[in-house]
Amino acid sequence: MPALEILGFVAAVLTTLCWLPQALRTLRTKDTKSLSLVTQSSLTLGVGLWLIYGILLGNLPLILANAVTFVLVVLILAMKLRYG
């Protein structure tokens, strides 16, 4: 695997895993008061667009990272919309 692709995978893992604690905490506590709806919505849209971009390029690190991140941020957004 080329060094550039390894760099992409490492970056993808780090930026994806950073959302896991927030998603787990939000699911566990259902506390979303401190989360901004505008920010969470923008992030979800942005990650979705990055996912589409990665798919169109056929770039596996972009696809994997943004697919997992998209699921996590959609869960957080759904909890924000449901519990305020």
Side-chain angles (χ1 to χ4, degrees), residues 30-76:
K30 296 178 181 42
D31 178 17
T32 61
K33 287 183 282 187
S34 63
L35 301 176
S36 165
L37 180 58
V38 172
T39 300
Q40 197 63 39
S41 299
S42 298
L43 177 65
T44 302
L45 178 60
V47 170
L49 292 173
W50 273 113
L51 176 57
I52 293 167
Y53 179 71
I55 291 168
L56 293 173
L57 286 178
N59 185 296
L60 193 56
L62 278 176
I63 294 167
L64 293 177
N66 287 295
V68 173
T69 303
F70 187 74
V71 170
L72 294 174
V73 297
V74 164
L75 283 172
I76 295 168

